[in-house]
Amino acid sequence: MTYQTFSPFDGTLIQDFADISPHEYETKVARAQACFESWRHKSYAERATVIARAATLLRDQTDALAATMTLEMGKRIGEARAEVAFSARILDYYATNAERFLAPVKLHPVHGEAHMESSPIGVIFAVEPWNFPYYQLARVAGPHLMAGNTLVVKHAGIVPQCALAFERVLREAGAPDGLYTNLFVSHEQSEKLLDDPRIKGVCLTGSVAAGSSIAARAGKNLKVSSMELGGSDAFIVLEDADLDLVIPWAVWGRMYNCGQTCCAAKRFIVVESMADAFIERFKAALGALEAGDPMDERTTLGPLSSEAALVQLLGQVDEAVAKGATLLLGGNRIARPGAFMEPSILTDIAPDNPAFRDEFFGPVALFFRVKDEATAIALANDCDFGLGGSVWTRDSARGQRVASQVDTGMMFINNLDWTDAELPFGGIKASGYGRELGDMGIQQFVNKKLVRTNPIKAPA
Ligand code: NAP
């Protein structure tokens, strides 16, 4: 059984969902293809009517949608509501701006006239993770549907009700049959989809393992792909940083969504003169978080998304310690039902410790002391991932300089204001390729066609 709702808060199995049958698979993919043939010819205004209505419905149904998310993957209810609101904003953003982003672009050849025009390419397959059950779907539905493509979507196995809820919202918004289709497919069926000639591209957000497997299959079929994968972002604190600003962001950056965010602050790299003060305050702030029901607004520490995620993270911490790291805080499961873990800090992590390179997807901070700015940058770059990162300093020119030297797709100076509908999101190295959101996010799955007019005779 691939799709199940388990409560990570108390460990109960709530509902099973069957994988789709071969017949359903065929019907749904055929409908997505048939829908593309009409949707591609709709005007931007017609498409925007559906997408903007879906945004309104998301807003109208915030409480119920957020509760489903909290039930399935344990996100604290306040964060869940904010995610629904942000998802609506992304849909609105593309409903408003898609036509401008995809307008023909005039080129300037020496002879004649030319322009590029953008047209949709067909059915796109989206593979999405559980950590942002609606935001991730909005990130692909907004741009790719507004561009004139249709979508078939494989959501993560642990959030089937969120997957169905988002599909229902689009249907209620007037989406034609086949425009946006949730597919409860297995990994094997996903491979079949990538081999299916009706599928023209794939976007995936998830782990490196999933990304390299799906990207390889897409490559074999010469299909365009974009990959948003993991990260181990550096949080660089320089000696002139304002700790009153830094500490709350450090806690938020590591603990938001219970630490299960691709671009979360994961490696805290602090210049020697600040290190003692930073770690004392950071440790106290993390230690003050209290486990509770994620449906309760007052809870400061929710569960991880699943028992499996907890077991994996505890194993990573144990291995790090066995290989020489020091546990400064936490490291254990919390003695109560559900997938709760103590906020934790590891230090003394040598380069040959697996913890030095691995992503910790949960409430575990890796702490490094460094002698100066140059060492901090070198350590930040000694990483297989290249998603985001931040630098903390009172000197904004210095912040810009450091940001330019860190090899990632995104850098934040004195903030962790990670994502906005208007701004491109994505990474380099093992964090993947391609960008979602902003203008770039809608350009991924469109044909950029050159059209040239030049009334000349053929060369003799
Ligand atoms: P995951 O195991 O890779 O799952 C992500 C999605 O891929 C799920 O729908 C999963 O389905 C599917 N999947 C995995 N292997 C597959 C395969 N061989 N064939 C077809 N589908 C496959 O990732 P996760 O651990 O749940 O999610 C967290 C990861 O996502 C972290 O590494 C995080 O950093 C990354 N992430 C990145 C971004 C970004 O924008 N860069 C954003 C959020 C998360 P099943 O659930 O059915 O296995």
Side-chain angles (χ1 to χ4, degrees), residues 275-285:
D276 287 338
F278 173 86
I279 200 64
E280 188 189 327
R281 292 177 62 176
F282 187 42
K283 196 172 150 184

Side-chain angles (χ1 to χ4, degrees), residues 2-3 125 127-132 135-136 139 154-158 185-188 190-191 204-211 213-214 227-231 260-263 266 312 359 361 385 387 425-427 431 436:
T2 312
Y3 296 88
F125 179 32
V127 183
E128 300 301 332
W130 46 264
N131 60 342
F132 292 93
Y135 159 72
Q136 287 294 149
R139 250 172 44 161
K154 186 225 171 296
H155 214 330
I158 65 169
V185 279
S186 64
H187 292 183
E188 293 68 36
S190 299
E191 295 197 343
L204 176 141
T205 295
S207 60
V208 173
S213 155
I214 294 284
M227 296 288 142
E228 298 281 2
L229 309 179
Q260 305 162 114
T261 304
C262 51
C263 54
K266 293 178 184 147
Q312 185 187 332
E359 179 182 29
F361 213 56
F385 294 105
L387 188 56
F425 189 103
S431 296
E436 290 185 340

Side-chain angles (χ1 to χ4, degrees), residues 85-104:
F86 186 36
S87 304
R89 224 169 69 65
I90 291 171
L91 296 187
D92 272 338
Y93 171 72
Y94 284 105
T96 306
N97 294 296
E99 183 166 13
R100 176 166 65 86
F101 292 152
L102 297 178

Side-chain angles (χ1 to χ4, degrees), residues 93-427:
Y93 171 72
Y94 284 105
T96 306
N97 294 296
E99 183 166 13
R100 176 166 65 86
F101 292 152
L102 297 178
V105 174
K106 195 168 165 45
L107 303 176
H108 303 282
V110 176
H111 303 293
E113 292 178 359
H115 70 268
M116 297 290 286
E117 56 189 42
S118 299
S119 49
I121 59 172
V123 187
I124 307 302
F125 179 32
V127 183
E128 300 301 332
W130 46 264
N131 60 342
F132 292 93
Y134 301 126
Y135 159 72
Q136 287 294 149
L137 301 183
R139 250 172 44 161
V140 294
H144 307 324
L145 299 181
M146 279 306 301
N149 296 306
T150 62
L151 276 173
V152 293
V153 181
K154 186 225 171 296
H155 214 330
I158 65 169
V159 288
Q161 296 193 41
C162 291
L164 291 173
F166 196 86
E167 181 186 50
R168 176 184 48 74
V169 163
L170 271 152
R171 207 171 40 241
E172 287 174 10
D177 203 12
L179 180 66
Y180 177 101
T181 309
N182 174 66
L183 294 179
F184 283 149
V185 279
S186 64
H187 292 183
E188 293 68 36
Q189 286 170 314
S190 299
E191 295 197 343
K192 191 173 157 203
L193 274 167
L194 291 164
D195 295 343
D196 190 317
R198 292 169 293 188
I199 303 297
K200 301 297 187 214
V202 60
C203 50
L204 176 141
T205 295
S207 60
V208 173
S212 67
S213 155
I214 294 284
R217 195 79 173 203
K220 181 167 162 274
N221 285 290
L222 298 177
K223 290 181 183 174
V224 62
S225 63
S226 78
M227 296 288 142
E228 298 281 2
L229 309 179
S232 190
D233 289 7
F235 184 103
I236 301 173
V237 183
L238 299 175
E239 65 278 3
D240 62 346
D242 172 3
L243 278 192
D244 290 339
L245 175 77
V246 169
I247 298 297
W249 274 117
V251 174
W252 188 88
R254 183 56 289 197
M255 297 304 299
Y256 168 70
N257 205 23
C258 202
Q260 305 162 114
T261 304
C262 51
C263 54
K266 293 178 184 147
R267 295 179 298 141
F268 294 82
I269 301 174
V270 186
V271 163
E272 182 62 51
S273 58
M274 276 297 207
D276 287 338
F278 173 86
I279 200 64
E280 188 189 327
R281 292 177 62 176
F282 187 42
K283 196 172 150 184
L286 288 184
L289 301 176
E290 280 190 45
D293 184 347
M295 292 283 185
D296 184 340
E297 301 270 6
R298 292 161 304 179
T299 292
T300 53
L301 177 67
L304 286 163
S305 62
S306 67
E307 178 66 21
L310 172 64
V311 169
Q312 185 187 332
L313 196 59
L314 289 169
Q316 283 181 280
V317 171
D318 288 347
E319 188 185 14
V321 172
K323 302 246 162 84
T326 305
L327 199 52
L328 282 183
L329 180 74
N332 302 303
R333 155 176 225 137
I334 297 177
R336 56 177 295 153
F340 286 88
M341 179 169 177
E342 294 170 342
S344 310
I345 305 176
L346 286 167
T347 190
D348 303 324
I349 303 156
D352 61 349
N353 191 320
F356 191 86
R357 306 230 148 252
D358 290 349
E359 179 182 29
F360 282 72
F361 213 56
V364 181
L366 310 182
F367 174 67
F368 301 86
R369 267 170 208 271
V370 291
K371 80 172 181 328
D372 55 16
E373 175 187 312
T375 328
I377 294 167
L379 180 56
N381 286 335
D382 189 3
C383 182
D384 300 332
F385 294 105
L387 188 56
S390 59
V391 54
W392 303 82
T393 168
R394 283 191 165 91
D395 177 346
S396 61
R398 189 181 187 195
Q400 298 282 349
R401 198 173 66 228
V402 172
S404 298
Q405 293 175 76
V406 178
D407 300 330
T408 58
M410 307 176 284
M411 279 300 286
F412 302 89
I413 302 169
N414 293 328
N415 73 87
L416 287 174
D417 198 4
W418 290 318
T419 176
D420 258 317
E422 295 79 9
L423 303 179
F425 189 103

